[in-house]
């Protein structure tokens, strides 16, 4: 009898797995061709969207926001910063008062930071009401355990084209994205939302934007946003890659208009950063070299979501229409780095053995990925300054005075809003010690959101930019006050 029961259970398990095998992965589709024959690159979601409406509000402030990785710890903190930006008024002569949040042009998110970025991009102010219930207060870890432990979710065992992260993309779609595609996101207008994963073959950041998809001759507008978020949050080993197919052979060697020119890849180039970006672009555009693109956690390449964002503008030629369109109206460049970085665990250096799975996973997922954040911030600061100088030079080639102001009056500021800025040392240590994962206690969610909102709302550089003032080189962080957390 026991043998019959065992055989019956095995048969049922095989039937369940066989049933799972019908699951299909929604792959990226080729670009449509225009009536004249060339690919319809302009339709793809990306910087072209930013260009089309960049002059409509008459504002001279260019605002980038970057949400770091760090699981739900970073997601809750970033959601709070969005709330803080919503509370900063922008007053300009002859214009109605607006919120700094309304002037954000570009939001870049990586790993845990991709959730609040995409949710806000799709739902805007409604996100402040629904994001806590749809994500922050949901036990996402239970779904992860379910993908591994529940037999009816084991399609990834028998179906080679369906992995654990394909399952999580389904979960995210059901919980919050509801079959939304990048076409739906494009219809929302600014801010541009860039979700960043890591191309594990090339070890570089892969932003889900029209330029990268155009190099693959692929239609981003039909791509589900849930799969982009899953790719950005796909921690190695725990999750499988999200894979894209390269359709570049269908585009006949053509490249999207905003891609780095092939000639920039010359190893003798003095512009090393541009040369590297061009070399990667050349690999994507060559179907013989790149047949598939395998994407995992964006924090592997850039855990602050800054490199991919600024690389987008480094790759633009100063003569390009997008650059010219944005530079003409820009006097102030504001880059806000929202950093939910965990503090390293000092106790590990006092232990002879580190053999607990949670200790090892925490060290790898948090401390190691975060270890280069300082260098990334220094690089970003240099890039922001360089972008301001390029825009000033372009403006002065156009005219000595633009909109009543000297052409060279272009300044940039990098503002770092981080968990490390919490004034209360006990609270700071407690929140920075939250493991990088997708389920945290409700009281921690409340505190993280509250601190994110307060640190953003009180930042003097953000408020100065909102008032049209030049950032002071010696700007100091906002006065630290104890935050009384209330449930979002």
């Amino acid at each position: 009898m026991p043998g019959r029961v065992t055989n019956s259970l095995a048969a049922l398990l095989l039937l369940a797995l066989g049933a799972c095998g019908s699951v299909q992965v929604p792959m990226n589709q080729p670009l449509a061709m225009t009536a004249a024959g060339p690919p319809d690159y302009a339709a793809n979601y990306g910087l072209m969207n930013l260009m089309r409406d960049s002059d409509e509000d008459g504002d001279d402030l260019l605002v980038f926001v970057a949400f770091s990785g760090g699981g739900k710890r970073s997601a809750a903190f970033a959601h709070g910063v969005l709330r803080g930006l919503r509370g900063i008024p922008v007053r300009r002569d002859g214009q109605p008062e607006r919120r700094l949040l309304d002037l954000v042009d570009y939001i870049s998110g990586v790993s845990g930071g991709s959730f609040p970025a995409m949710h806000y991009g799709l739902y805007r102010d409604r996100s402040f009401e629904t994001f806590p219930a749809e994500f922050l207060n949901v036990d996402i870890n239970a779904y992860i355990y379910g993908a591994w432990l529940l037999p009816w979710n084991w399609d990834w065992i028998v179906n080679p084209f369906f992995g654990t992260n394909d399952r999580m993309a389904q979960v995210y779609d059901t919980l919050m994205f509801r079959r939304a595609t990048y076409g739906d996101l494009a219809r929302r207008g600014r801010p541009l939302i860039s979700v960043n994963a890591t191309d594990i073959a090339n070890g570089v950041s892969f932003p889900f934007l029209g330029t990268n998809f155009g190099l693959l001759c692929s239609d981003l507008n039909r791509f589900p946003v849930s799969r982009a978020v899953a790719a950005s949050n796909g921690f190695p080993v725990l999750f499988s890659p999200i894979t894209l197919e390269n359709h570049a052979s269908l585009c006949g060697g053509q490249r999207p208009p905003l891609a780095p020119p092939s000639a920039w890849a010359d190893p003798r180039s003095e512009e090393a950063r541009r040369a590297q970006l061009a070399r990667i672009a050349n690999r994507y555009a060559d179907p013989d070299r790149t047949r598939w693109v395998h994407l995992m956690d964006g924090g592997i390449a850039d855990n602050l979501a800054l490199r991919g964002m600024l690389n987008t503008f480094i790759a633009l030629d100063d003569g390009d229409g997008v650059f010219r369109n944005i530079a003409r109206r820009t006097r102030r460049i504001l880059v806000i780095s929202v950093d939910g970085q965990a503090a390293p665990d000092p106790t590990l250096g006092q232990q002879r053995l580190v053999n607990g799975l949670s200790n090892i996973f925490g060290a790898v997922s948090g401390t190691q990925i975060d270890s280069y954040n300082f260098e990334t911030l220094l690089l970003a600061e240099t890039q922001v300054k360089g972008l301001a100088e390029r825009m000033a030079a372009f403006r002065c080639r156009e005219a000595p005075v633009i909109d009543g102001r000297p052409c060279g009056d272009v300044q940039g500021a990098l503002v770092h809003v981080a968990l490390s800025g919490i004034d209360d040392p006990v609270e700071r240590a407690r929140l920075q010690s939250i493991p990088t994962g997708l389920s945290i206690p409700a009281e921690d969610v409340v505190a993280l959101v509250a601190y994110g909102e307060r640190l953003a709302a009180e930042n003097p550089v953000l408020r100065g930019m909102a008032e049209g003032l030049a950032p002071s080189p010696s700007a100091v962080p906002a006065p630290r006050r104890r935050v009384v957390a209330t449930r979002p």
Side-chain angles (χ1 to χ4, degrees):
M1 181 65 73
R4 290 182 180 178
V5 172
T6 301
N7 290 338
S8 297
L9 289 174
L12 288 172
L13 179 58
L14 288 173
L15 285 172
L17 291 174
C20 290
S22 62
V23 176
Q24 299 294 316
V25 176
M27 293 296 293
N28 54 304
Q29 301 299 311
L31 266 175
M33 301 296 158
T34 62
D40 189 10
Y41 289 120
N44 255 350
Y45 179 77
L47 280 182
M48 297 297 288
N49 298 73
L50 188 59
M51 180 186 73
R52 278 194 289 268
D53 60 1
S54 63
D55 282 333
E56 292 180 2
D57 59 14
D59 191 79
D60 60 3
L61 183 61
L62 185 63
V63 185
F64 302 104
V65 181
F67 293 155
S68 79
K72 195 169 283 186
R73 181 188 65 245
S74 289
F77 186 66
H79 179 70
V81 169
L82 286 174
R83 289 173 178 267
L85 297 179
R86 181 180 59 168
I88 298 178
V90 178
R91 304 180 184 91
R92 299 291 172 91
D93 292 341
Q95 298 181 18
E97 181 176 295
R98 288 174 290 175
R99 310 172 305 178
L100 184 56
L101 180 62
D102 297 328
L103 301 182
V104 172
D105 296 280
Y106 191 125
I107 300 178
S108 177
V110 65
S111 196
S114 65
F115 292 100
M118 184 59 73
H119 200 274
Y120 176 76
L122 282 172
Y123 304 119
R124 306 304 163 96
D125 276 10
R126 182 180 157 208
S127 180
F128 297 119
E129 301 172 5
T130 60
F131 188 60
E134 292 182 352
F135 179 74
L136 292 180
N137 297 322
V138 177
D139 183 6
I140 303 295
N141 282 356
Y143 290 96
I144 298 174
Y145 298 147
W148 283 88
L149 302 178
L150 299 179
W152 50 87
N153 291 329
W154 285 354
D155 187 85
W156 54 272
I157 293 179
V158 296
N159 184 348
F161 303 110
F162 186 88
T164 51
N165 215 12
D166 296 306
R167 165 61 184 160
M168 292 311 298
Q170 294 176 338
V171 169
Y172 304 145
D173 194 70
T174 300
L175 290 176
M176 66 192 103
F177 298 128
R178 303 175 185 87
R179 299 186 179 181
T181 65
Y182 273 87
D184 297 313
L185 192 61
R187 285 185 282 275
R188 300 296 289 159
R190 284 192 295 169
L192 188 71
I193 306 298
S194 174
V195 166
N196 304 282
T198 297
D199 172 0
I200 58 175
N202 293 302
V204 295
S205 179
F206 185 97
F208 278 80
L209 290 175
T211 301
N212 274 355
F213 264 61
L215 288 165
L216 303 177
C217 196
S218 187
D219 186 347
L220 179 58
N221 287 4
R222 288 192 282 169
F223 196 76
V225 300
S226 58
R227 291 186 63 74
V229 171
S232 182
N233 197 63
F235 188 76
V237 181
L238 186 61
F239 297 120
S240 57
I242 294 290
T243 298
L244 305 178
E245 183 176 3
N246 192 348
H247 300 291
S249 60
L250 301 178
C251 282
Q254 299 186 66
R255 299 162 73 96
L258 301 183
S262 178
W264 283 2
D266 188 337
R268 297 166 298 178
S269 171
E270 295 181 1
E271 298 184 77
R273 194 72 181 164
R274 280 187 169 185
Q276 173 64 8
L277 295 175
R279 285 192 287 270
I280 298 299
N282 289 350
R283 293 176 195 171
Y284 292 148
D286 184 350
D288 293 327
R289 297 178 67 188
T290 302
R291 185 73 183 85
W292 306 93
V293 179
H294 303 288
L295 302 172
M296 300 201 76
D297 195 303
I300 299 171
D302 173 20
N303 199 43
L304 289 180
L306 285 169
R307 291 175 184 264
M309 178 176 67
L310 293 171
N311 283 347
T312 300
F313 278 84
I314 290 174
L316 286 180
D317 189 270
D318 291 10
D320 184 89
V322 173
F323 183 88
R324 295 198 307 269
N325 183 275
I326 294 173
R328 283 193 187 100
R329 62 104 172 173
T330 299
R331 290 181 51 249
R332 298 292 180 262
I333 303 169
L334 175 60
V335 177
I336 307 169
S337 173
V338 182
D339 184 0
Q341 176 179 345
D345 184 355
T347 65
L348 291 181
Q350 300 168 359
Q351 300 176 25
R352 170 63 179 85
L353 299 176
V354 181
N355 51 15
L357 183 60
S358 61
N359 283 343
I360 295 173
F361 185 82
V364 173
S365 64
T367 306
Q368 295 305 313
I369 287 179
D370 289 336
S371 61
Y372 294 102
N373 284 0
F374 180 71
E375 285 79 5
T376 298
L377 285 169
L378 291 179
L379 174 64
E381 190 171 24
T382 300
Q383 290 179 335
V384 171
K385 180 181 178 181
L387 181 59
E389 291 172 349
R390 285 175 60 197
M391 288 188 173
F394 168 81
R395 287 162 59 88
C396 288
R397 289 195 297 270
E398 294 280 296
V401 177
I402 296 178
D403 294 332
R405 297 186 181 271
C407 61
D409 183 21
V410 180
Q411 298 186 41
L414 173 64
V415 177
H416 188 216
V417 181
L419 282 177
S420 58
I422 295 174
D423 61 328
D424 185 326
V426 175
E427 276 287 274
R428 182 171 65 247
R430 183 177 71 83
L431 296 178
Q432 285 189 307
S433 68
I434 296 172
T436 299
L438 292 180
S439 292
I440 62 176
E443 59 271 20
D444 289 345
V445 168
V446 171
L448 287 162
V449 171
Y451 276 110
E453 182 172 7
R454 177 65 64 83
L455 290 173
E458 293 184 343
N459 188 281
V461 179
L462 296 184
R463 288 197 166 272
M465 278 285 196
E467 294 292 341
L469 304 175
S472 169
S474 59
V476 296
R480 293 175 170 178
R481 302 179 188 174
R482 182 172 180 82
V483 173
V484 179
T486 56
R487 185 173 297 277

